[in-house]
Amino acid sequence: MDRFDDLLRLTRRLRLSRRESLQPLRWRPAADIYRTREGWLVKVELAGVREQDVDIAAGGRWLTIRGRRCDRECVQAGKSYALEIAYSRFQRVVEFPTSLEGARMTTELRNGMLLIRIVTEEVSGS
Amino acid sequence: MNEPHMPERLPVFPLRNSVLLPYTLGPFSAGRSLSLGALETALAGEDKQVAVFAQKNPEAETPARDDLYTLGTLALIRRMVRSEETIEVLLQGTARVRLVELEQTEPHLVGRLEEAPIAVESGPEVEALQRELIKLAGSYQSLAQPVGELDINQMVAQVHDPMHLVYLLGAMIGLEPEKAQALLEAPSLTEAMKLLHGYLNHEIQVMEVRREIAGQVQSEMGREQREYLLRQQMRAIQEELGEQNPEAAEVATLRERLAQAPLPESARREAERELGRLESIPAASPERQVLRTYLDLILELPWEAATVDNLDLKRAREILDEDHYDLESVKERILEHLAVLKLNPQAKAPILCFVGPPGVGKTSLGQSIARALGRRFERFSLGGLHDEAELRGHRRTYIGAMPGRIVQAIRRAGVRNPLLMLDEVDKLGRDFRGDPASALLEILDPAQNYEFRDNYLDLPFDLSRVLFITTANTLDTVPAPLLDRMEVLRLSGYSDEEKLQIARRYLLERQRAQAGLTDRRFEVPDETLRAVIARYTREAGVRTLERTLGRLARKVALLYAEERPVPDRIEPGRLAELLGPERFFPERLRTELEPGVATGLAWTESGGDVLYVEAIALPEGEQLTLTGQLGNVMQESARAARNYLISHADLLGVERPGAGVHIHVPAGAIPKDGPSAGVTMAVALASLYTQLAVRSDTAMTGEITLSGLVLPVGGIKEKILAARRAGIRRVILPEQNEKDLAEIPDTVRAEMEFVTAGHIEEVLGAAIPELAERMVRA
């Protein structure tokens, strides 16, 4: 019975994997984007990622956040029983309606969220 | 930036029967401790990375370096679930790696790796190959079942890297491990593309063939449907033309037959009901045939039809005499029945049972009676029948159900008053399938069988007009309730004289005709017939005799055919030449009997026999030893005989003898039983105790009691005939059997002396002359 269940589950997985076969090699963290008075606030869900493992680059209208999540919290004494969190490299590209040329950026990692504040000249001028 | 480096050392996850290509995702299940260990280590690591290598030999339980392909895939564990003893993982390939060496094999494999990037060209060739691949993938998708599992167009739109595309397509079409490994090992992008092109083409061809086969099956089905439609159309056309379709015509014919058939009311109602059902059943339905067969049976059964009995007694007598010699009691009984029928035409027929040894003419007597009465004759054998349903039929609910033998025989006879002969009623079987004897009880009971219900017919049928005659060789195995319903008529064996008559009147003529000697001289004098009867046959009936005469006739026919001289008469002296050496010698009469030996008579299924009882005294012990396969009854009568004599020693004029005695009855291999050897044993023992010899020309039969009475026994005629065959001229028999002497042919009776006895003393006196004197003196 167990073997049969395994087989079923495996088959279901196989279907899933075919659909998921388009998954890129890097995982893609979720992001919220806010329009603020002085510019933009980008909130990226990056739980478990150290600040020094994140690399943020702006170019034209694109902001690229990439990096690597290592499993530093893994319990050395125990055995892994289930795994769902994506480790290793990630990458997220956010597109803006205007160019980010000359904008100032500050980043803060708080409660597992990476907050990127972007102050554009346009807003600061007004 | 913290670009992830490839660690030099990584746990190695060996794959059996599958290959993981870079960029693709695949589910894997790890059960081997080797694989489990590798995954455990990888899961404990920061990057959840593992190196995946396919096994060259899937059989290897603990693969060595040589069992693994050199090129494999660096993989990331995306998901993991642990069940009781296995770990299931979803792995995603990230890059191609080369296994430099296995650094560790315990508790799991750890390999030293180096990157093995594939050469990626660009240019018109790659472009062309890529387009071709996308086209092929499109046609693959259109053939694949189920459609829509994977959208190639969507994939092509999202994946821009040609290498990525190659690996994804390879995983999508589910390549065999060897092909997938070859794709993984391709040195360059163009090589990989060409390989994949070949594989895709092959897959498409396979799928096309499969579709073709499926199409053929479908067209096969289509043809049947078309045929059905055409038939329906034909039916419509027939109706339009006013023609009847075959099914309706069939029903109409049956209806007509039903209207004309003389049926009892209940049968008619049932038949009409079934006919109505027949109309509504489609032509192709198997039930139609079942119903049709049933209706045929109802219509063909002779519900009313009957033959008129020939009640001319004189003619009947002539016919019976013509076919059979003697058998007076049986003929008498038949004539009685005729007389009763003459006075009361409604009289119920008796149920007769002919009992007798094989070959005495039971079956042919039945035929002859049918002829005398002017009745149709049907017979079947009950021998070995062990299923009640054979007699009574199967219910119609069963596939292949049939009426029972009784109803079938009546249908064959075509009249409701045939003479139905049930042969071998003593050889009915009985087992878990039922007891046919019990079914016979109903059939053979005149009080019940006027409403006999066959399971198949399921309508009462009157069997009371049927004249049932059963035959048996012995009544011992016929169940008592069954025997009770029948009138038993015994046909005992024939004497040599009777056989001679039968041979001369019936057998010889029949065999002459068989051999084609009707117009030729074939004269067999009585002496010759006697010699054949005595030396070539030993039976109660005349079957072997007829066969032997047949052989004789054929030998003569051979002489005629070869145009060799044929003797005018076949003298007894020529028999050895024609029939071979004699088969039997007349039983050698013991001319002188020792004290302790007496001659007895036995009844067997095939007639009578002479047997000797031998007794000797044992010097020690009280035991009675009995040998010669004696049954319980016979052993008991031996005990009674001994004990009677011991307690009446004074009668014999001897001292009280010792109890130890051994009685043997040859032939030792033939089982014997029955009480009729009682007097013989008593005489043998008396002879032993007195040391006086028994008369050698005397045989005896009879049962004794402890008070010395002699009780009657059966089979007197057979026993006397056997004694005569053996040359014995004097027979001692129980007083109460005197009436049986009437059955003995006069010729035999004239030659022999019969002594009847009511008490053992009379037997002793008649058997041992000197003892008689002694008893008289006493």
Side-chain angles (χ1 to χ4, degrees), chain A residues 60-74:
Chain A
R61 294 190 286 128
W62 288 279
L63 179 72
T64 306
I65 305 120
R66 64 177 111 178
R68 176 166 170 254
R69 173 154 62 187
C70 299
D71 187 12
R72 293 188 201 283
E73 275 73 38
C74 70

Side-chain angles (χ1 to χ4, degrees), chain A residues 16 19 27 34 57-58 62 79-80 91 96 102 117-118 120 124:
Chain A
L16 175 91
R19 241 176 256 127
W27 61 280
Y34 301 87
W62 288 279
K79 276 184 180 176
S80 184
Q91 173 167 321
F96 293 93
R117 290 194 180 78
I118 305 169
T120 52
S124 61

Side-chain angles (χ1 to χ4, degrees), chain B residues 204-403:
Chain B
I204 288 169
Q205 274 171 12
V206 169
M207 292 223 286
E208 271 173 351
V209 171
R210 270 174 50 186
R211 197 166 66 167
E212 220 166 274
I213 292 168
Q216 270 172 5
V217 173
Q218 238 167 12
S219 74
E220 199 79 7
M221 300 235 299
R223 206 175 57 208
E224 253 172 45
Q225 267 180 341
R226 204 164 56 236
E227 212 165 276
Y228 174 74
L229 277 176
L230 286 173
R231 277 191 196 289
Q232 290 299 101
Q233 281 173 4
M234 190 165 77
R235 200 172 298 272
I237 291 167
Q238 276 176 332
E239 271 165 25
E240 200 65 30
L241 289 173
E243 283 175 8
Q244 274 189 330
N245 61 46
E247 285 77 31
E250 186 186 18
V251 171
T253 321
L254 282 172
R255 199 173 289 283
E256 202 172 315
R257 280 174 63 192
L258 184 61
Q260 284 169 3
L263 293 182
E265 205 38 52
S266 60
R268 182 176 305 279
R269 268 204 311 276
E270 178 70 13
E272 268 163 9
R273 211 164 59 85
E274 297 294 310
L275 197 56
R277 281 184 59 208
L278 185 70
E279 271 179 316
S280 62
I281 290 176
S285 164
E287 210 188 332
R288 194 181 174 89
Q289 200 48 47
V290 174
L291 260 183
R292 174 73 218 255
T293 323
Y294 177 68
L295 280 169
D296 274 340
L297 176 71
I298 290 190
L299 288 170
E300 279 177 27
L301 267 184
W303 298 91
E304 301 290 338
T307 51
V308 181
D309 284 342
N310 181 347
L311 298 178
D312 184 344
L313 290 175
K314 191 159 162 287
R315 186 178 153 271
R317 167 112 238 165
E318 276 167 19
I319 290 177
L320 291 175
D321 282 343
E322 202 176 294
D323 293 346
H324 289 88
Y325 178 78
D326 199 35
L327 300 177
E328 281 309 319
S329 62
V330 180
K331 290 177 182 170
E332 206 67 37
R333 182 63 188 86
I334 301 300
L335 294 172
E336 281 165 24
H337 177 58
L338 276 185
V340 169
L341 278 180
K342 211 166 179 174
L343 300 176
N344 172 19
Q346 297 307 309
K348 293 208 163 94
I351 288 154
L352 302 178
C353 178
F354 293 166
V355 186
V360 292
K362 296 184 294 292
T363 308
S364 72
L365 187 59
Q367 277 167 323
S368 172
I369 292 169
R371 198 156 75 88
L373 288 171
R375 293 225 180 170
R376 300 265 174 87
F377 179 82
E378 280 297 331
R379 66 169 289 274
F380 62 88
S381 174
L382 298 171
L385 197 96
H386 47 206
D387 189 354
E388 182 223 18
E390 283 274 311
L391 278 174
R392 227 207 276 262
H394 292 276
R395 293 187 57 91
R396 249 185 310 150
T397 40
Y398 297 108
I399 305 239
M402 281 199 308

Side-chain angles (χ1 to χ4, degrees), chain A residues 5 21 66-68 106:
Chain A
D5 283 347
S21 58
R66 64 177 111 178
R68 176 166 170 254
T106 52

Side-chain angles (χ1 to χ4, degrees), chain A residues 2 5-7 9-28 50 52-55 66-76 78-90, chain B residues 1-5 22-29 40 43-49 76-84 86-90 92-95 140 149-151 154-155 158-159 164 168 171-174:
Chain A
D2 282 318
D5 283 347
D6 286 353
L7 200 71
R9 203 157 47 202
L10 212 65
T11 322
R12 244 179 269 132
R13 287 273 174 85
L14 191 70
R15 289 248 175 83
L16 175 91
S17 79
R18 281 200 167 180
R19 241 176 256 127
E20 285 187 357
S21 58
L22 291 177
Q23 275 196 3
L25 285 183
R26 299 159 196 233
W27 61 280
R28 184 170 174 269
R50 292 184 304 179
Q52 64 263 38
D53 286 340
V54 184
D55 179 50
R66 64 177 111 178
R68 176 166 170 254
R69 173 154 62 187
C70 299
D71 187 12
R72 293 188 201 283
E73 275 73 38
C74 70
V75 187
Q76 292 297 338
K79 276 184 180 176
S80 184
Y81 193 80
L83 180 137
E84 288 182 356
I85 298 169
Y87 292 100
S88 192
R89 289 184 287 170
F90 63 87
Chain B
M1 183 191 124
N2 244 333
E3 192 57 34
H5 63 290
Y23 303 102
T24 64
L25 275 154
F28 297 94
S29 188
E40 300 274 14
L43 283 164
E46 286 187 356
D47 293 316
K48 317 290 178 200
Q49 288 193 105
L76 201 61
I77 303 173
R78 294 301 295 258
R79 298 271 170 82
M80 186 282 277
V81 178
R82 191 192 289 270
S83 53
E84 269 164 53
T86 58
I87 294 182
E88 284 174 47
V89 288
L90 188 63
Q92 184 171 28
T94 52
Y140 176 89
E149 175 75 14
L150 197 110
D151 194 339
Q154 189 196 341
M155 195 168 90
Q158 287 187 12
V159 179
H164 192 166
L168 281 180
M172 182 189 84
I173 62 174

